[in-house]
């Protein structure tokens, strides 16, 4: 008996489902960052607002990368519903704490897909995911560095103003 | 078990899975499946077979069993953009669900076997 499912699609139903979940996660990240951009802007943290606008755009690109991969492999990409976006934050610091939490949860979820693909010996998808693993290194680094600024600069006096100014300069340039 | 399969054309059909109530066959040549259920044999491509599975899985059997209304105990399985519609009783839904479950397990098993056997052989 011919493997008709394989003829149709390179990825298994399970991997397709996981990738679609990731599409949704990236869309959620994008919306969360957009909401953070709004909060920062409203509270006078313009550099951070710009930073989050950029992050929101990046997450959108991640979403599309997954989306197109599913389609290219013969799967069914599902446009996600995104709900429950938090609009208010209690403090400037809380925004960055949640940004890091979000990135960590994305890394974990990509690791999950990777593990599943290894189990199925779906090396093609593993290779596709490599780009995201590297990306998460940068994403977590940046989010962690932003939080570090709260420690090294301190929030007292003009601290928050200083922190905001430095958020825009955070860069990750590792050759490794 | 199945009485509708006297047609000589069907000789190239391979059994995928069958129960007392129905059966699913695969045609390699046509790249499709034939579902023999509720008195008819219907042809499904992969996309439609997935839709059928989804439609059947989406019926909340437990809720239907607990329902006390006087509405007839009938469910319509309509599959968007496919040619077939099923009008089934709750018992038939349960049977079709069993058939789908078995079918997809067998198809998955076939995928695994093909991958492990032939990938190494070539
Ligand atoms: Fe992302
Ligand atoms: Fe990210």
């Amino acid at each position: 008996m011919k493997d008709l499912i394989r003829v149709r699609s390179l990825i298994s139903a399970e991997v397709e489902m996981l990738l679609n979940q990731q599409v949704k996660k990236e869309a959620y990240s994008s919306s969360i960052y957009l909401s953070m951009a709004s909060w920062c802007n409203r509270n006078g943290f313009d550099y951070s607002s710009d930073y989050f606008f950029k992050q929101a755009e990046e997450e959108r690109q991640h979403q599309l990368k997954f989306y197109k991969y599913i389609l290219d492999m013969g799967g069914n990409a599902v446009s996600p519903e995104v709900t429950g976006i938090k609009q208010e934050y209690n403090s400037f610091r809380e925004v960055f704490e949640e940004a890091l939490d979000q990135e960590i949860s994305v890394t974990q979820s990509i690791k999950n897909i990777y593990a599943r693909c290894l189990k199925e010996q779906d090396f093609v998808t593993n290779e596709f995911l490599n780009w995201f693993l590297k990306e998460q290194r940068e994403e977590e680094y940046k989010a962690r560095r932003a939080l570090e600024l709260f420690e090294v600069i301190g929030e007292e006096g003009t601290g928050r103003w200083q922190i905001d100014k430095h958020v825009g300069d955070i860069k990750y340039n590792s050759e490794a | 078990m199945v009485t509708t399969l006297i047609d000589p054309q069907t000789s190239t059909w391979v059994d995928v899975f069958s129960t007392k109530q129905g059966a699913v066959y695969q045609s390699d040549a046509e790249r499709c499946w034939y579902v023999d259920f509720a008195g008819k044999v219907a042809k499904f491509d992969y996309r439609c077979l997935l839709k059928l599975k989804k439609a059947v899985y989406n019926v909340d059997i437990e809720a239907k069993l607990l329902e006390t209304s006087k509405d007839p105990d009938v469910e319509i399985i309509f599959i968007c953009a496919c040619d077939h519609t099923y009008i089934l009783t709750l018992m038939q839904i349960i049977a079709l669900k069993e058939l789908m479950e078995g079918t997809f397990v067998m198809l998955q098993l076939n995928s695994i076997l093909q991958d492990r056997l032939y990938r190494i052989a070539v």
Side-chain angles (χ1 to χ4, degrees):
Chain A
M1 186 164 82
K2 223 178 157 162
D3 184 1
L4 291 183
I5 299 175
R6 182 66 185 82
V7 171
R8 263 258 357 154
S9 168
L10 187 149
I11 49 178
S12 71
E14 175 82 11
V15 168
E16 181 183 314
M17 194 261 290
L18 289 173
L19 290 174
N20 268 313
Q21 274 178 10
Q22 193 60 34
V23 164
K24 188 173 176 140
K25 254 193 170 335
E26 300 291 346
Y28 181 81
S29 287
S30 183
S31 294
I32 279 280
Y33 281 135
L34 210 53
S35 141
M36 288 173 174
S38 163
W39 189 92
C40 287
N41 189 291
R42 279 181 281 137
N43 288 277
F45 303 114
D46 282 11
Y47 291 100
S48 301
S49 178
D50 280 350
Y51 171 82
F52 286 123
F53 268 116
K54 266 190 224 118
Q55 287 298 119
E57 192 52 43
E58 264 189 35
E59 299 304 342
R60 168 79 179 168
Q61 292 309 318
H62 295 168
Q63 182 198 343
L64 293 183
K65 250 190 158 97
F66 277 109
Y67 203 75
K68 285 175 182 157
Y69 177 77
I70 299 170
L71 290 174
D72 288 349
M73 295 309 106
N76 178 12
V78 181
S79 182
E81 221 166 282
V82 178
T83 50
I85 301 299
K86 181 171 168 175
Q87 306 291 343
E88 289 302 330
Y89 294 87
N90 293 312
S91 67
F92 188 35
R93 191 193 173 107
E94 189 185 88
V95 176
F96 287 95
E97 277 168 353
E98 295 201 4
L100 177 58
D101 285 348
Q102 178 59 23
E103 287 304 336
I104 290 174
S105 105
V106 166
T107 308
Q108 291 307 99
S109 127
I110 292 172
K111 275 159 68 181
N112 273 342
I113 309 175
Y114 203 95
R116 173 73 206 187
C117 292
L118 280 183
K119 202 175 156 206
E120 287 185 18
Q121 305 196 346
D122 179 355
F123 304 120
V124 178
T125 304
N126 276 137
E127 196 270 337
F128 164 76
L129 289 173
N130 282 339
W131 184 89
F132 284 94
L133 290 178
K134 203 166 179 187
E135 174 71 13
Q136 281 316 108
R137 247 163 60 180
E138 175 177 340
E139 297 278 69
E140 281 202 26
Y141 170 87
K142 288 200 292 185
R144 219 168 261 125
R145 178 64 192 151
L147 269 179
E148 224 169 38
L149 293 178
F150 285 82
E151 303 301 329
V152 292
I153 298 173
E155 292 187 63
E156 310 75 36
T158 55
R160 279 196 282 270
W161 177 77
Q162 285 281 357
I163 294 166
D164 181 47
K165 260 185 89 171
H166 284 90
V167 163
D169 299 332
I170 298 175
K171 259 176 208 79
Y172 180 70
N173 31 24
S174 155
E175 293 301 315
Chain B
M1 172 184 60
V2 181
T3 49
T4 39
L5 291 179
I6 338 151
D7 190 333
Q9 259 191 329
T10 60
S11 57
T12 53
W13 290 7
V14 184
D15 287 9
V16 178
F17 186 73
S18 60
T19 63
K20 274 184 181 142
Q21 282 86 21
V24 175
Y25 306 92
Q26 176 172 316
S27 164
D28 285 358
E30 291 174 279
R31 293 191 170 189
C32 70
W33 291 271
Y34 287 90
V35 176
D36 184 337
F37 191 80
K40 68 171 177 180
V41 181
K43 182 177 171 178
F44 287 86
D45 64 12
Y46 183 49
R47 213 168 37 91
C48 288
L49 194 68
L50 282 183
K51 283 182 181 173
L52 175 65
K53 176 176 109 171
K54 206 175 163 201
V56 174
Y57 280 37
N58 277 346
V59 177
D60 190 342
I61 294 169
E62 209 176 322
K64 297 266 164 203
L65 284 171
L66 295 172
E67 211 172 76
T68 48
S69 73
K70 279 186 192 141
D71 296 341
D73 193 15
V74 182
E75 195 67 28
I76 299 169
I77 305 267
F78 172 74
I79 311 147
C80 177
C82 299
D83 299 334
H84 316 294
T85 303
Y86 287 97
I87 299 165
L88 304 172
T89 65
L90 201 51
M91 287 312 286
Q92 284 176 308
I93 295 274
I94 294 169
L96 186 54
K97 192 173 173 184
E98 190 191 345
L99 185 62
M100 286 296 115
E101 280 167 352
T103 297
F104 278 89
V105 166
M106 293 317 281
L107 291 178
Q108 244 172 18
L109 181 62
N110 186 43
S111 284
I112 293 169
L113 288 176
Q114 298 269 340
D115 184 61
R116 298 298 188 273
L117 288 177
Y118 297 109
R119 183 159 53 97
I120 294 157
V122 245

